Amino acid sequence: MECVMIPKTVYRFGVLGIALAMACSKAVDPEYVIEESVVTTPAGTEHVQVFVPASTFTMGSSDGPSNERPPHEVMLDAFYIDKYEVTNAQYLAFVEATGNEEPQYFRIEGFDRPDQPAVGVLWSQARDYCQWAGLQLPSEAQWELTAAGIDGRVFPWGNEPASESLCNFNFSSGPMPVGSYPNGASPYGAMDMAGNVWEWTLDEYQHTYYA
């Protein structure tokens, strides 16, 4: 008898705001292999996803703010995660199929392009979208591993300081279409893990969680 483990699949949701992801991970020399898959929702929209293999990594940072300390070792099973943030077009298909409410900024100029990330989405709305699709939001640990890998990098692309060629950190122009910064991809191929918009995770935030 053979047993097969199906890796979990998770979605990425934007919320209004900008964040530069910073993480400190175990200093090793991995060979990252980018593997993609496609998930189709009940409405027929597609999500390109990247595979993150089972890993042990150091979550948090000794150099970051207090809510990132102390660094601690985390073991995760393999999973798939969206390569891009959920777009307005993808979320609109969910709204039309289910009758759920549109997000707060859905019709506001500067936030309403089909290829921009859906923002102003409540955590409960993001959860409902994922449940409708038969999937789930990523945990904070899954998100951080996807963003930073296991080689001790500071940003998804490495240790080079953020620049306009790597991520959108100037929110005066609004969120950029997803995937606009391929040079800023994470080691597993996920886009926009730093800059553009904040993203929901499954976990409830607690300032002293790491303490």
Side-chain angles (χ1 to χ4, degrees), residues 23-28 30 32 52-53 55-59 141-157 186-188 193:
C24 179
S25 302
K26 183 178 293 186
V28 296
Y32 294 107
V52 181
S55 301
T56 298
F57 76 109
T58 302
M59 185 175 174
Q142 288 174 324
W143 191 97
E144 186 167 328
L145 173 59
T146 304
I150 58 174
D151 59 359
R153 63 185 62 200
V154 176
F155 298 104
W157 54 82
S186 85
Y188 302 106
M193 299 294 290

Side-chain angles (χ1 to χ4, degrees), residues 30-82:
E31 293 184 3
Y32 294 107
V33 176
I34 296 178
E35 177 184 331
E36 295 185 357
S37 182
V38 176
V39 171
T40 303
T41 71
T45 52
E46 294 185 342
H47 287 252
V48 178
Q49 300 203 314
V50 295
F51 178 69
V52 181
S55 301
T56 298
F57 76 109
T58 302
M59 185 175 174
S61 171
S62 58
D63 300 322
S66 60
N67 62 354
E68 295 180 5
R69 300 194 301 264
H72 57 285
E73 193 170 85
V74 175
M75 298 177 62
L76 290 178
D77 291 333
F79 59 93
Y80 284 92
I81 187 170
D82 271 18

Side-chain angles (χ1 to χ4, degrees), residues 11-14 47 82 84-88 90-91 116-119 129 178:
Y11 277 166
R12 293 171 53 200
F13 259 95
H47 287 252
D82 271 18
Y84 308 105
E85 296 147 330
V86 175
T87 65
N88 285 326
Q90 290 167 327
Y91 198 88
Q116 285 179 306
V119 298
Y129 179 98
V178 301

